[in-house]
């Protein structure tokens, strides 16, 4: 896993990534963390999320996507349904769902430059030491990069 510091959205807008992946809950909110920033920068991604059934547990482990063009740069934003809900304390990220989401990303975008934040390790309460190996395994052979927030 390559790692850079910065802002995954700004880097994508600069043409550094073809695909950016972020974690979502299944409640169609995108109201906090990186999801809130994604929704503001790419309302099309929020529309793709809202087009899915709110509160559907079957979304867990799946993805929705939106492809946008900003100043000539094509970017696909992947909403990865890695957690069911956002309420309460404790771990909300589902490691099996995360694995399924990244497997789908690897299959759909094998030749893309893929960027992502520390999915599942922030507000979702997951353990990055468990998450990173899952991402590495599922994106094996892909050009992928962790972007550590440096705001």
């Amino acid at each position: 896993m390559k790692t850079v510091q910065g802002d995954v959205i700004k880097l994508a807008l600069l043409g550094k990534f073809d695909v950016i992946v972020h974690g979502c809950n299944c409640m169609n909110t995108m109201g906090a963390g990186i999801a809130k920033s994604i929704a503001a920068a790419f309302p099309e991604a929020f529309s793709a999320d809202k087009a899915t059934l709110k509160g559907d547990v079957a979304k867990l482990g799946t993805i929705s996507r939106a492809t946008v063009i900003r100043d000539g740069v094509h970017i696909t934003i992947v909403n990865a349904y890695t957690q069911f809900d956002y309420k309460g304390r404790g771990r909300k990220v589902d490691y099996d769902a995360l694995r399924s989401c990244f497997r789908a990303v690897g299959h759909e975008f094998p030749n893309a430059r893929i960027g992502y934040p520390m999915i599942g390790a922030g507000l979702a309460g997951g353990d990055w030491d468990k998450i990173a190996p899952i991402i590495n395994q599922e994106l094996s052979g892909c050009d992928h990069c962790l972007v550590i927030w440096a705001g």
Side-chain angles (χ1 to χ4, degrees):
M1 172 183 301
K2 291 185 286 186
T3 303
V4 299
Q5 289 195 342
D7 179 328
V8 70
I9 295 170
K10 288 181 182 174
L11 291 171
L13 291 169
L14 290 171
K16 303 294 183 185
F17 302 118
D18 306 306
V19 174
I20 57 175
V21 184
H22 73 106
C24 280
N25 62 60
C26 296
M27 300 300 168
N28 302 77
T29 56
M30 290 182 69
I34 186 73
K36 184 176 183 177
S37 298
I38 294 277
F42 307 111
E44 301 92 337
F46 192 27
S47 293
D49 179 41
K50 289 191 295 188
T52 66
L53 184 61
K54 181 179 181 177
D56 183 4
V57 71
K59 285 195 304 191
L60 199 57
T62 69
I63 61 174
S64 65
R65 70 205 57 69
T67 299
V68 303
I69 302 171
R70 298 288 191 274
D71 295 325
V73 177
H74 292 249
I75 308 163
T76 299
I77 300 93
V78 172
N79 302 319
Y81 298 101
T82 58
Q83 65 187 73
F84 179 70
D85 203 351
Y86 59 91
K87 296 177 183 172
R89 297 185 179 272
R91 179 171 62 89
K92 291 159 202 63
V93 67
D94 179 309
Y95 296 127
D96 291 333
L98 182 123
R99 178 178 298 282
S100 179
C101 289
F102 274 95
R103 182 173 298 137
V105 169
H107 285 292
E108 283 195 40
F109 307 102
N111 300 312
R113 296 168 300 151
I114 304 165
Y116 47 86
M118 292 179 77
I119 293 175
L123 296 175
D127 180 348
W128 185 250
D129 290 334
K130 292 181 181 177
I131 294 167
I134 292 170
I135 295 171
N136 271 330
Q137 183 178 26
E138 297 306 330
L139 294 184
S140 177
C142 295
D143 182 358
H144 65 102
C145 183
L146 166 66
V147 180
I148 298 174
W149 173 250

